[in-house]
Amino acid sequence: MSDQTNVKLRLNNSELWGGLIGLALGVFVIWSGIKLKLGTINDPGSGYVLFYTGILMCLFALTIIVAAVTEGGPSFGSRWEGARWTKPLVIIACLTAFSFALEPLGFLLSAIPLMLLLLRAIDPVRWTLAIPLAVLAPLGVWWVLKRALLIQLPSGIFEIG
């Protein structure tokens, strides 16, 4: 009976499954790098960095798997106990609204309300700090992207930015 519960607990180990998924992803990245041609260290091909990144991913995943097998790990159910879903759902809704507002309103007119809403609703910051941050952060990002990096951003129907 105890052997069955041990096997059941091992299969319900969330870290083991996370490591196995990471290992599979690493193997896929290695395969993609090989498919793109590795080249040499002096003349790297387009898959060179991808290949070695995949090897690192596999090594990290293997360490997670070994730790999960030797030390055990939490079950899937215990990972989700006490999870609060309201804030992540609000963030997803805000980012979805931002993506729809970006083209018609432009970057600045959609990013400033997004920042203000996130600063006040998710981790409440006092108004005297939230308003300057909500205005200055998007302006700073806009300046770096538009002026310094010369990346074209949507300016919207009001042609602001």
Side-chain angles (χ1 to χ4, degrees), residues 13 107 115 125 133 135 137 145 153 157:
N13 185 341
F107 177 75
M115 284 289 295
V125 176
L133 276 176
V135 172
L145 292 175
L153 293 170
I157 57 175

Side-chain angles (χ1 to χ4, degrees), residues 39-83:
T40 64
I41 194 161
N42 294 325
D43 185 25
S46 54
Y48 187 80
V49 172
L50 203 58
F51 175 77
Y52 289 104
T53 302
I55 289 176
L56 280 176
M57 290 171 65
C58 286
L59 288 175
F60 292 143
L62 284 172
T63 60
I64 292 171
I65 291 169
V66 168
V69 169
T70 58
E71 300 170 11
S75 66
F76 289 107
S78 68
R79 289 275 188 192
W80 298 103
E81 286 176 3

Side-chain angles (χ1 to χ4, degrees), residues 19-147:
L20 290 172
I21 290 170
L23 184 65
L25 185 61
V27 168
F28 173 74
V29 170
I30 289 171
W31 176 75
S32 298
I34 291 171
K35 196 172 160 185
L36 288 173
K37 305 285 190 256
L38 294 179
T40 64
I41 194 161
N42 294 325
D43 185 25
S46 54
Y48 187 80
V49 172
L50 203 58
F51 175 77
Y52 289 104
T53 302
I55 289 176
L56 280 176
M57 290 171 65
C58 286
L59 288 175
F60 292 143
L62 284 172
T63 60
I64 292 171
I65 291 169
V66 168
V69 169
T70 58
E71 300 170 11
S75 66
F76 289 107
S78 68
R79 289 275 188 192
W80 298 103
E81 286 176 3
R84 297 177 308 202
W85 288 98
T86 53
K87 288 184 180 183
L89 291 175
V90 169
I91 292 171
I92 291 169
C94 288
L95 292 174
T96 303
F98 174 76
S99 68
F100 284 113
L102 184 60
E103 195 65 38
L105 294 179
F107 177 75
L108 288 175
L109 288 181
S110 56
I112 292 172
L114 170 73
M115 284 289 295
L116 189 60
L117 185 62
L118 290 176
L119 285 169
R120 290 295 299 160
I122 300 305
D123 195 14
V125 176
R126 61 184 191 278
W127 283 105
T128 55
L129 183 62
I131 291 174
L133 276 176
V135 172
L136 293 176
L139 277 173
V141 169
W142 172 84
W143 187 87
V144 167
L145 292 175
K146 183 102 175 188
R147 301 293 180 213

